Amino acid sequence: KAGVTQTPRYLIKTRGQQVTLSCSPISGHRSVSWYQQTPGQGLQFLFEYFSETQRNKGNFPGRFSGRQFSNSRSEMNVSTLELGDSALYLCASSLGGASGANVLTFGAGSRLTVL
Amino acid sequence: AQRVTQPEKLLSVFKGAPVELKCNYSYSGSPELFWYVQYSRQRLQLLLRHISRESIKGFTADLNKGETSFHLKKPFAQEEDSAMYYCALRGAGGTSYGKLTFGQGTILTVHP
């Protein structure tokens, strides 16, 4: 079955602009989590959505937001971009249950460069 | 607060040598621990998780609650094991779901 698909794969923005990233989960997966990966901070959790509701949130400013649609596809938005937002943004999908079988499958990521 | 520490940023071994990637965690309860691997130009993927007590690609990891460690081991390293390895923790209680706390990662290089 198809894996987690993220679009766009690469994008360049300038400071002050906003960006929207998209994630299509594996068919049947209802949970989508977002992570930011940078050389300095590593992998950091942004937020998780399940059945169109934000279920968990990391320690990021309000400029970072997301949503999930009824087909489980998710988008994340970053407004008023700063240079420090340059990163690889990873999306992961899972069945969403509480059991240990709830394993995350990651997409290839969207690499954002802010100039 | 939960934290995952991978003390070695870089680890180099020769093919056939044993390898151990260290992972220590800080968490007040009983977490779930995972090892994820990222090969060159590939996606981050699950290698193994402690609840499965399985061996994947010759790697094993034992959760030591007393030492709060989850070290990854392989008795005989292969060149194809060269990759970035991340240790990750998910909090217990069934509320963390898709929220993982990752260590900073260890780049393993296996020389021929």
Side-chain angles (χ1 to χ4, degrees):
Chain A
K1 54 185 175 182
V4 178
T5 304
Q6 292 188 245
T7 58
R9 291 293 313 281
Y10 303 91
L11 66 165
I12 300 173
K13 294 285 186 179
T14 57
R15 280 180 297 175
Q17 286 187 310
Q18 73 166 15
V19 65
T20 298
L21 310 177
S22 179
C23 174
S24 293
I26 290 173
S27 178
H29 283 190
R30 296 170 63 191
S31 167
V32 173
S33 301
W34 289 90
Y35 290 80
Q36 182 195 64
Q37 185 175 28
T38 59
Q41 300 297 317
L43 281 153
Q44 293 186 288
F45 173 76
L46 280 156
F47 30 64
E48 181 205 5
Y49 287 86
F50 180 82
S51 293
E52 303 178 64
T53 301
Q54 188 180 83
R55 190 160 66 171
N56 271 302
K57 190 177 188 306
N59 297 322
F60 279 82
R63 299 185 297 107
F64 292 81
S65 62
R67 58 178 176 169
Q68 187 179 34
F69 303 95
S70 58
N71 61 357
S72 293
R73 189 177 71 85
S74 176
E75 290 181 346
M76 68 162 283
N77 183 277
V78 187
S79 62
T80 319
L81 283 166
E82 301 176 359
L83 295 179
D85 297 333
S86 294
L88 181 67
Y89 290 88
L90 293 173
C91 162
S93 78
S94 68
L95 293 170
S99 75
N102 185 28
V103 174
L104 273 62
T105 300
F106 284 84
S110 292
R111 183 164 297 282
L112 170 65
T113 301
V114 182
L115 303 177
Chain B
Q2 53 197 45
R3 176 175 289 185
V4 176
T5 303
Q6 294 179 249
E8 302 135 332
K9 198 166 186 176
L10 302 169
L11 184 62
S12 289
V13 300
F14 284 99
K15 177 183 174 181
V19 63
E20 180 180 51
L21 290 86
K22 290 183 168 47
C23 172
N24 291 92
Y25 67 90
S26 173
Y27 185 72
S28 58
S30 295
E32 293 181 66
L33 274 297
F34 306 83
W35 277 100
Y36 278 82
V37 61
Q38 190 166 31
Y39 300 102
S40 178
R41 300 182 182 278
Q42 293 189 28
R43 304 179 180 201
L44 191 63
Q45 59 186 281
L46 177 69
L47 180 61
L48 54 80
R49 47 198 168 123
H50 88 272
I51 62 167
S52 299
R53 303 186 66 81
E54 55 199 345
S55 173
I56 303 293
K57 299 185 178 183
F59 285 98
T60 59
D62 290 319
L63 178 60
N64 187 320
K65 293 185 179 180
E67 296 182 358
T68 59
S69 68
F70 188 56
H71 303 328
L72 183 68
K73 301 176 184 178
K74 185 170 183 177
F76 307 103
Q78 303 299 315
E79 290 179 68
E80 54 265 32
D81 297 329
S82 296
M84 171 74 98
Y85 290 81
Y86 292 97
C87 182
L89 176 154
R90 177 162 64 198
T95 60
S96 293
Y97 303 109
K99 178 182 178 181
L100 296 178
T101 299
F102 284 88
Q104 290 288 82
T106 298
I107 299 173
L108 173 65
T109 303
V110 181
H111 300 285

mmCIF file of all heavy atoms in Angstrom, chain B residues 13-17 19 57 59 74-83 85 108-111:
data_model
loop_
_atom_site.group_PDB
_atom_site.id
_atom_site.type_symbol
_atom_site.label_atom_id
_atom_site.label_comp_id
_atom_site.label_asym_id
_atom_site.label_seq_id
_atom_site.Cartn_x
_atom_site.Cartn_y
_atom_site.Cartn_z
ATOM 1 N N VAL B 13 32.881 1.894 13.642
ATOM 2 C CA VAL B 13 33.366 0.548 13.919
ATOM 3 C C VAL B 13 33.775 -0.085 12.604
ATOM 4 O O VAL B 13 33.422 0.403 11.530
ATOM 5 C CB VAL B 13 32.304 -0.329 14.610
ATOM 6 C CG1 VAL B 13 31.872 0.267 15.945
ATOM 7 C CG2 VAL B 13 31.107 -0.539 13.709
ATOM 8 N N PHE B 14 34.498 -1.203 12.713
ATOM 9 C CA PHE B 14 34.858 -1.950 11.517
ATOM 10 C C PHE B 14 33.866 -3.095 11.331
ATOM 11 O O PHE B 14 33.267 -3.598 12.281
ATOM 12 C CB PHE B 14 36.286 -2.480 11.623
ATOM 13 C CG PHE B 14 37.330 -1.424 11.415
ATOM 14 C CD1 PHE B 14 37.960 -0.829 12.493
ATOM 15 C CD2 PHE B 14 37.674 -1.013 10.132
ATOM 16 C CE1 PHE B 14 38.915 0.157 12.312
ATOM 17 C CE2 PHE B 14 38.627 -0.029 9.929
ATOM 18 C CZ PHE B 14 39.247 0.562 11.025
ATOM 19 N N LYS B 15 33.710 -3.460 10.100
ATOM 20 C CA LYS B 15 32.826 -4.575 9.747
ATOM 21 C C LYS B 15 33.192 -5.800 10.569
ATOM 22 O O LYS B 15 34.365 -6.142 10.710
ATOM 23 C CB LYS B 15 32.973 -4.878 8.257
ATOM 24 C CG LYS B 15 32.162 -6.058 7.755
ATOM 25 C CD LYS B 15 32.447 -6.293 6.274
ATOM 26 C CE LYS B 15 31.752 -7.562 5.784
ATOM 27 N NZ LYS B 15 32.052 -7.812 4.341
ATOM 28 N N GLY B 16 32.151 -6.440 11.113
ATOM 29 C CA GLY B 16 32.362 -7.631 11.915
ATOM 30 C C GLY B 16 32.550 -7.371 13.388
ATOM 31 O O GLY B 16 32.497 -8.305 14.205
ATOM 32 N N ALA B 17 32.757 -6.122 13.745
ATOM 33 C CA ALA B 17 32.930 -5.763 15.154
ATOM 34 C C ALA B 17 31.575 -5.580 15.823
ATOM 35 O O ALA B 17 30.578 -5.261 15.157
ATOM 36 C CB ALA B 17 33.754 -4.487 15.280
ATOM 37 N N VAL B 19 28.738 -3.656 17.959
ATOM 38 C CA VAL B 19 28.379 -2.242 18.057
ATOM 39 C C VAL B 19 27.295 -2.066 19.106
ATOM 40 O O VAL B 19 26.422 -2.912 19.259
ATOM 41 C CB VAL B 19 27.909 -1.690 16.683
ATOM 42 C CG1 VAL B 19 26.651 -2.400 16.208
ATOM 43 C CG2 VAL B 19 27.678 -0.197 16.750
ATOM 44 N N LYS B 57 17.220 -7.180 11.786
ATOM 45 C CA LYS B 57 18.502 -7.005 11.091
ATOM 46 C C LYS B 57 19.672 -7.292 12.041
ATOM 47 O O LYS B 57 20.738 -6.691 11.932
ATOM 48 C CB LYS B 57 18.625 -5.592 10.518
ATOM 49 C CG LYS B 57 17.555 -5.266 9.496
ATOM 50 C CD LYS B 57 17.770 -3.902 8.860
ATOM 51 C CE LYS B 57 16.699 -3.642 7.817
ATOM 52 N NZ LYS B 57 16.892 -2.357 7.117
ATOM 53 N N PHE B 59 19.852 -6.586 15.152
ATOM 54 C CA PHE B 59 19.881 -5.645 16.272
ATOM 55 C C PHE B 59 18.906 -6.071 17.364
ATOM 56 O O PHE B 59 17.824 -6.575 17.083
ATOM 57 C CB PHE B 59 19.476 -4.234 15.814
ATOM 58 C CG PHE B 59 20.532 -3.504 15.041
ATOM 59 C CD1 PHE B 59 20.506 -3.469 13.660
ATOM 60 C CD2 PHE B 59 21.539 -2.821 15.716
ATOM 61 C CE1 PHE B 59 21.472 -2.779 12.954
ATOM 62 C CE2 PHE B 59 22.507 -2.121 15.017
ATOM 63 C CZ PHE B 59 22.476 -2.103 13.634
ATOM 64 N N LYS B 74 24.404 -4.884 18.347
ATOM 65 C CA LYS B 74 24.507 -5.860 17.263
ATOM 66 C C LYS B 74 25.868 -6.519 17.399
ATOM 67 O O LYS B 74 26.885 -5.828 17.514
ATOM 68 C CB LYS B 74 24.358 -5.195 15.900
ATOM 69 C CG LYS B 74 24.346 -6.198 14.745
ATOM 70 C CD LYS B 74 23.953 -5.556 13.430
ATOM 71 C CE LYS B 74 23.888 -6.606 12.336
ATOM 72 N NZ LYS B 74 23.431 -6.051 11.035
ATOM 73 N N PRO B 75 25.931 -7.844 17.398
ATOM 74 C CA PRO B 75 27.215 -8.507 17.640
ATOM 75 C C PRO B 75 28.223 -8.352 16.508
ATOM 76 O O PRO B 75 29.425 -8.288 16.763
ATOM 77 C CB PRO B 75 26.809 -9.966 17.854
ATOM 78 C CG PRO B 75 25.476 -10.112 17.219
ATOM 79 C CD PRO B 75 24.813 -8.779 17.316
ATOM 80 N N PHE B 76 27.733 -8.293 15.279
ATOM 81 C CA PHE B 76 28.648 -8.214 14.133
ATOM 82 C C PHE B 76 28.122 -7.159 13.152
ATOM 83 O O PHE B 76 27.190 -7.420 12.396
ATOM 84 C CB PHE B 76 28.761 -9.573 13.433
ATOM 85 C CG PHE B 76 29.124 -10.706 14.359
ATOM 86 C CD1 PHE B 76 28.157 -11.607 14.779
ATOM 87 C CD2 PHE B 76 30.422 -10.861 14.822
ATOM 88 C CE1 PHE B 76 28.474 -12.647 15.646
ATOM 89 C CE2 PHE B 76 30.759 -11.896 15.685
ATOM 90 C CZ PHE B 76 29.782 -12.789 16.102
ATOM 91 N N ALA B 77 28.725 -5.991 13.170
ATOM 92 C CA ALA B 77 28.248 -4.893 12.325
ATOM 93 C C ALA B 77 28.540 -5.162 10.844
ATOM 94 O O ALA B 77 29.559 -5.775 10.493
ATOM 95 C CB ALA B 77 28.918 -3.594 12.750
ATOM 96 N N GLN B 78 27.645 -4.695 10.003
ATOM 97 C CA GLN B 78 27.794 -4.794 8.555
ATOM 98 C C GLN B 78 27.844 -3.388 7.959
ATOM 99 O O GLN B 78 27.307 -2.436 8.536
ATOM 100 C CB GLN B 78 26.619 -5.566 7.959
ATOM 101 C CG GLN B 78 26.437 -6.967 8.527
ATOM 102 C CD GLN B 78 27.655 -7.849 8.277
ATOM 103 O OE1 GLN B 78 28.203 -7.875 7.167
ATOM 104 N NE2 GLN B 78 28.099 -8.556 9.290
ATOM 105 N N GLU B 79 28.462 -3.276 6.779
ATOM 106 C CA GLU B 79 28.584 -1.957 6.150
ATOM 107 C C GLU B 79 27.208 -1.339 5.909
ATOM 108 O O GLU B 79 27.042 -0.125 6.022
ATOM 109 C CB GLU B 79 29.351 -2.074 4.835
ATOM 110 C CG GLU B 79 30.820 -2.376 5.017
ATOM 111 C CD GLU B 79 31.545 -2.509 3.694
ATOM 112 O OE1 GLU B 79 31.673 -1.486 2.997
ATOM 113 O OE2 GLU B 79 31.969 -3.624 3.357
ATOM 114 N N GLU B 80 26.225 -2.172 5.601
ATOM 115 C CA GLU B 80 24.884 -1.641 5.329
ATOM 116 C C GLU B 80 24.174 -1.125 6.588
ATOM 117 O O GLU B 80 23.081 -0.569 6.508
ATOM 118 C CB GLU B 80 24.008 -2.700 4.640
ATOM 119 C CG GLU B 80 23.919 -4.018 5.389
ATOM 120 C CD GLU B 80 24.930 -5.038 4.883
ATOM 121 O OE1 GLU B 80 26.033 -4.621 4.443
ATOM 122 O OE2 GLU B 80 24.615 -6.238 4.944
ATOM 123 N N ASP B 81 24.792 -1.307 7.750
ATOM 124 C CA ASP B 81 24.224 -0.754 8.979
ATOM 125 C C ASP B 81 24.547 0.726 9.145
ATOM 126 O O ASP B 81 24.011 1.388 10.043
ATOM 127 C CB ASP B 81 24.746 -1.511 10.206
ATOM 128 C CG ASP B 81 24.332 -2.966 10.227
ATOM 129 O OD1 ASP B 81 23.235 -3.273 9.708
ATOM 130 O OD2 ASP B 81 25.112 -3.794 10.743
ATOM 131 N N SER B 82 25.413 1.239 8.305
ATOM 132 C CA SER B 82 25.780 2.657 8.393
ATOM 133 C C SER B 82 24.544 3.515 8.169
ATOM 134 O O SER B 82 23.864 3.398 7.134
ATOM 135 C CB SER B 82 26.845 2.999 7.337
ATOM 136 O OG SER B 82 28.045 2.296 7.591
ATOM 137 N N ALA B 83 24.223 4.342 9.137
ATOM 138 C CA ALA B 83 22.995 5.134 9.100
ATOM 139 C C ALA B 83 22.952 6.039 10.327
ATOM 140 O O ALA B 83 23.823 5.992 11.199
ATOM 141 C CB ALA B 83 21.765 4.224 9.095
ATOM 142 N N TYR B 85 20.846 6.729 13.679
ATOM 143 C CA TYR B 85 19.956 5.980 14.559
ATOM 144 C C TYR B 85 19.394 6.914 15.632
ATOM 145 O O TYR B 85 20.133 7.647 16.284
ATOM 146 C CB TYR B 85 20.710 4.823 15.231
ATOM 147 C CG TYR B 85 21.084 3.727 14.270
ATOM 148 C CD1 TYR B 85 22.203 3.847 13.447
ATOM 149 C CD2 TYR B 85 20.316 2.570 14.164
ATOM 150 C CE1 TYR B 85 22.538 2.857 12.540
ATOM 151 C CE2 TYR B 85 20.652 1.560 13.279
ATOM 152 C CZ TYR B 85 21.759 1.709 12.468
ATOM 153 O OH TYR B 85 22.091 0.716 11.577
ATOM 154 N N LEU B 108 26.122 6.161 12.787
ATOM 155 C CA LEU B 108 26.964 4.964 12.816
ATOM 156 C C LEU B 108 27.628 4.772 11.460
ATOM 157 O O LEU B 108 26.940 4.773 10.428
ATOM 158 C CB LEU B 108 26.127 3.730 13.160
ATOM 159 C CG LEU B 108 26.851 2.380 13.057
ATOM 160 C CD1 LEU B 108 27.963 2.289 14.096
ATOM 161 C CD2 LEU B 108 25.872 1.222 13.209
ATOM 162 N N THR B 109 28.923 4.623 11.474
ATOM 163 C CA THR B 109 29.667 4.327 10.257
ATOM 164 C C THR B 109 30.391 3.010 10.457
ATOM 165 O O THR B 109 31.141 2.850 11.416
ATOM 166 C CB THR B 109 30.690 5.433 9.940
ATOM 167 O OG1 THR B 109 30.012 6.689 9.830
ATOM 168 C CG2 THR B 109 31.410 5.134 8.633
ATOM 169 N N VAL B 110 30.133 2.092 9.544
ATOM 170 C CA VAL B 110 30.793 0.788 9.604
ATOM 171 C C VAL B 110 31.802 0.732 8.448
ATOM 172 O O VAL B 110 31.423 0.784 7.277
ATOM 173 C CB VAL B 110 29.779 -0.363 9.484
ATOM 174 C CG1 VAL B 110 30.515 -1.706 9.565
ATOM 175 C CG2 VAL B 110 28.732 -0.256 10.573
ATOM 176 N N HIS B 111 33.053 0.648 8.797
ATOM 177 C CA HIS B 111 34.130 0.632 7.802
ATOM 178 C C HIS B 111 34.418 -0.787 7.336
ATOM 179 O O HIS B 111 34.327 -1.728 8.108
ATOM 180 C CB HIS B 111 35.395 1.253 8.395
ATOM 181 C CG HIS B 111 35.230 2.665 8.830
ATOM 182 N ND1 HIS B 111 35.169 3.720 7.935
ATOM 183 C CD2 HIS B 111 35.073 3.211 10.070
ATOM 184 C CE1 HIS B 111 35.021 4.848 8.599
ATOM 185 N NE2 HIS B 111 34.946 4.578 9.896
#
